[in-house]
Amino acid sequence: MYLEKDIVKEGNALLNQKCKKVSLPLSSDDEACIRGLYEYMVVSAVDELVEKYKIRPGVGIAAPQVGVEKRMFAINCVDFLDEEQKQYCYAWINPQIVATSKKMTYLPGGEGCLSVDRTTEGLVTPRHMSIKVKGTIYDFNTRKLKNISMLLTGYPAIVFQHEYDHLDGILYTSKMYKPEELDEDIVPLYTINEKGEALVEENE
């Protein structure tokens, strides 16, 4: 499994390179990479393991963040704004975004990244509210590959777009704005009420 020492940090030229397509079937090195990315995502979701391995928790990690210039990433996030609290835990290989919504949104608290250690408080990154994606996913247990497509909306879509940017050598820090600088039709994904609950914007 990858550890904190393996994470490439902001300022390293590796994070600004466009990644190469992964050849299939997977080579042993590429399989080791995608397994390592997926395992980091699973382990970083467990508080006890985060403390044990001294790693930063996250919801996504891309191959260039561990020095591998290949089009692979893993995500592990829960759609906390959905009643079903659906979990999106996937190891993506050669992912593609094939369609995007016109509507844009952003996380009101801003985004974070395992490769960025500085604070970016008060700045947000506009993203498409919905995206249609396709690609190959790797099953960690069976070690088999499967071609899939899916529609992602809201938080999972934002997570996917963040990791997808990494494959094109783009850090979210290069796309940040103050909320007041955005067009008025780009709304936050949610707002917080008096009870501290996240509420989806009604005009989505």
Side-chain angles (χ1 to χ4, degrees):
M1 187 188 81
Y2 294 111
L3 299 175
E4 180 63 25
K5 65 179 178 60
D6 301 309
I7 305 298
V8 178
K9 298 298 182 177
E10 182 182 21
N12 191 313
L14 287 173
L15 295 176
N16 303 121
Q17 303 299 316
K18 189 165 185 176
C19 296
K20 298 177 182 178
K21 188 175 182 179
V22 180
S23 297
L24 299 178
L26 292 173
S27 67
S28 57
D29 285 345
D30 287 344
E31 182 174 8
C33 177
I34 195 65
R35 288 181 67 87
L37 298 175
Y38 184 87
E39 188 173 19
Y40 188 104
M41 282 295 94
V42 173
V43 170
S44 76
V46 181
D47 291 341
E48 293 81 1
L49 295 178
V50 167
E51 177 62 26
K52 177 181 178 180
Y53 292 106
K54 306 299 181 186
I55 60 175
R56 283 176 60 186
V59 292
I61 184 172
Q65 291 181 273
V66 292
V68 179
E69 299 298 299
K70 296 289 186 73
R71 300 189 75 82
M72 299 183 284
F73 63 70
I75 63 173
N76 183 18
C77 67
V78 174
D79 189 355
F80 62 93
L81 296 175
D82 182 73
E83 290 184 359
E84 296 181 0
Q85 298 283 293
K86 184 176 179 181
Q87 184 175 22
Y88 293 80
C89 190
Y90 295 99
W92 285 93
I93 299 168
N94 297 327
Q96 298 179 59
I97 298 177
V98 296
T100 59
S101 65
K102 290 184 179 179
K103 184 170 181 58
M104 304 287 287
T105 188
Y106 60 87
L107 292 178
E111 298 182 18
C113 182
L114 296 173
S115 292
V116 178
D117 293 333
R118 63 188 172 96
T119 179
T120 55
E121 186 178 355
L123 299 171
V124 298
T125 304
R127 304 284 187 184
H128 295 284
M129 176 70 80
S130 299
I131 55 175
K132 184 176 181 181
V133 304
K134 69 176 184 179
T136 302
I137 58 171
Y138 175 85
D139 188 304
F140 188 83
N141 296 311
T142 65
R143 303 179 72 165
K144 292 183 178 180
L145 302 177
K146 179 181 179 181
N147 294 324
I148 67 168
S149 63
M150 66 177 66
L151 179 67
L152 299 174
T153 299
Y155 185 59
I158 290 174
V159 173
F160 190 101
Q161 289 171 84
H162 178 113
E163 299 309 320
Y164 190 84
D165 272 354
H166 275 299
L167 306 186
D168 289 331
I170 300 170
L171 281 179
Y172 82 102
T173 50
S174 68
K175 304 168 72 172
M176 294 187 303
Y177 298 87
K178 295 179 180 179
E180 58 268 25
E181 295 174 335
L182 299 176
D183 293 339
E184 61 181 14
D185 57 343
I186 303 179
V187 298
L189 182 62
Y190 59 87
T191 55
I192 303 295
N193 65 12
E194 302 79 18
K195 298 179 181 179
E197 300 168 327
L199 302 177
V200 179
E201 286 293 304
E202 295 181 357
N203 59 342
E204 65 176 321

